[in-house]
Amino acid sequence: MIQSLQDTITLHNGVNMPGLGLGVFQVEEGTVLIQAVKSAIAHGYRSIDTAAIYGNERSVGQGIREAMLDNGITRDKLFITSKVWNADLGYDSTLAAYEASLDRLGLEYLDLYLIHWPVIGKYKAAWSALEKLYREGRVKAIGVSNFQIHHLEDLMSEAQIKPMVNQVEFHPRLTQKELLRYTQAQGIQLEAWSPLMQGQLLNDPLLLEMAARYGKSVAQIILRWDLQHGVVTIPKSIQASRIAENAALFDFELSPEDMGRIDALNQNLRVGPDPDHFDF
Ligand code: NDP
């Protein structure tokens, strides 16, 4: 269990990954995004999660560079993630997509590069490309996103390197119990996207009651629940006050009973696409 904002978990290849990061999905290139990234890093965040399909890698990169200068932080203290989009899955096209992401971000390397979605028939060639990038030291860790257990088993039946991370939708309405157990047994780190269910859990009566009892916000209760499950989490916010709020998770602890109560909110309900039925 991480104890502070800059604490890390160790991936199976020995790379350290911050337990908490900033997500930037659905934020356009521009000042708002640059400021959000700068605000997060100034506040102590060290991990930023973007993707080629978000169309915002340039501003993420600019925010990172400015924040490094402002705060005297070197690149090796940051953990930057991006993802190869479905249209680029394939061996050569994935290698090219990696270079294009680096170019837009203005970075020499990524800490984590993920296959964004498990497009059947395409993810194995893309994985070979990620393995090559990893072996050549171009990326510190490689992983997947939106992979179900069967996708992971299929990939690992031929892969030479086991994914270090699987980033999936994970929140109190979608607790991914089997996937969490499976990835823990495999040494694959689970990472929660849409941890706040894009804001849809903020009025949940149980979470409101707990928030009042612990003297925290609903968002903080949920994010703390992620961390106590050993799940890396990347809440998105463009507001400095919420960026700070989402990182103030280390002065309280949910009891085992309350962890169980939150687990029991599961409805296998998704806010995003189902990895077994998506058409993009
Ligand atoms: P989140 O669950 O993080 O919710 C974000 C929403 O919650 C925004 O509307 C934000 O508004 C609001 N919010 C943030 N903090 C608070 C707070 N403390 N109190 C109240 N409201 C709050 O949704 P995302 O879908 O953005 O998921 C997080 C990240 O996961 C993404 O940004 C992306 O990096 C990644 N992701 C990955 C996917 C994948 O397929 N691999 C898919 C989807 C997301 P505001 O900004 O105004 O504060």
Side-chain angles (χ1 to χ4, degrees):
M1 168 70 204
I2 68 163
Q3 305 292 343
S4 72
L5 173 51
Q6 289 174 13
D7 251 9
T8 53
I9 50 89
T10 304
L11 303 177
H12 75 65
N13 65 335
V15 163
N16 292 323
M17 177 177 192
L20 187 77
L22 179 75
V24 298
F25 180 39
Q26 292 173 324
V27 193
E28 292 172 9
E29 301 269 23
T31 319
V32 167
L33 176 55
I34 295 166
Q35 285 308 324
V37 170
K38 288 174 72 174
S39 157
I41 294 174
H43 190 75
Y45 284 65
R46 293 294 175 261
S47 167
I48 312 284
D49 179 88
T50 185
I53 194 69
Y54 301 170
N56 62 15
E57 290 173 311
R58 284 195 172 81
S59 296
V60 169
Q62 187 175 337
I64 290 168
R65 278 189 301 283
E66 291 182 15
M68 281 168 49
L69 279 176
D70 290 353
N71 300 283
I73 294 170
T74 49
R75 171 69 183 89
D76 58 306
K77 299 290 184 293
L78 298 173
F79 191 98
I80 311 302
T81 301
S82 192
K83 316 180 190 92
V84 52
W85 185 243
N86 302 355
D88 290 321
L89 294 180
Y91 188 78
D92 292 332
S93 46
T94 296
L95 293 176
Y98 185 68
E99 301 305 330
S101 276
L102 286 185
D103 192 51
R104 286 187 294 266
L105 284 157
L107 297 175
E108 301 283 312
Y109 67 91
L110 291 182
D111 297 277
L112 179 63
Y113 197 47
L114 303 175
I115 293 180
H116 207 146
W117 285 88
V119 182
I120 305 290
K122 290 197 170 177
Y123 57 71
K124 287 183 184 171
W127 187 252
S128 299
L130 264 59
E131 289 180 331
K132 174 183 162 68
L133 292 167
Y134 177 70
R135 270 201 216 92
E136 292 178 348
R138 303 286 321 283
V139 59
K140 304 287 178 195
I142 52 177
V144 295
S145 178
N146 298 302
F147 274 47
Q148 309 270 46
I149 292 174
H150 69 90
H151 295 121
L152 288 168
E153 295 203 312
D154 181 45
L155 182 70
M156 291 192 296
S157 70
E158 287 173 43
Q160 292 174 353
I161 300 171
K162 189 190 278 194
M164 286 122 208
V165 172
N166 185 19
Q167 183 187 109
V168 300
E169 184 175 346
F170 182 96
H171 46 66
R173 294 259 187 272
L174 182 71
T175 56
Q176 301 270 26
K177 203 171 165 189
E178 286 171 21
L179 183 62
L180 179 57
R181 196 184 305 127
Y182 178 84
T183 50
Q184 280 171 340
Q186 289 286 338
I188 299 170
Q189 178 63 44
L190 204 70
E191 180 177 17
W193 65 251
S194 293
L196 305 175
M197 206 181 174
Q198 298 188 339
Q200 292 179 35
L201 287 165
L202 300 173
N203 293 320
D204 178 85
L206 177 81
L207 296 174
L208 282 168
E209 179 274 317
M210 274 188 206
R213 187 150 44 81
Y214 284 92
K216 303 299 283 187
S217 70
V218 168
Q220 289 168 328
I221 297 289
I222 296 170
L223 298 170
R224 177 78 200 186
W225 169 81
D226 289 348
L227 298 181
Q228 285 187 218
H229 268 308
V231 173
V232 169
T233 190
I234 45 169
K236 172 262 173 186
S237 181
I238 51 170
Q239 300 184 33
S241 60
R242 286 176 173 173
I243 289 171
E245 176 186 328
N246 294 345
L249 308 174
F250 304 102
D251 56 356
F252 74 111
E253 185 176 349
L254 297 169
S255 70
E257 295 73 29
D258 286 332
M259 287 293 290
R261 284 187 195 108
I262 301 176
D263 291 342
L265 292 175
N266 182 47
Q267 297 176 356
N268 296 327
L269 196 63
R270 295 177 183 274
V271 64
D274 183 333
D276 282 321
H277 305 282
F278 64 97
D279 57 0
F280 49 85

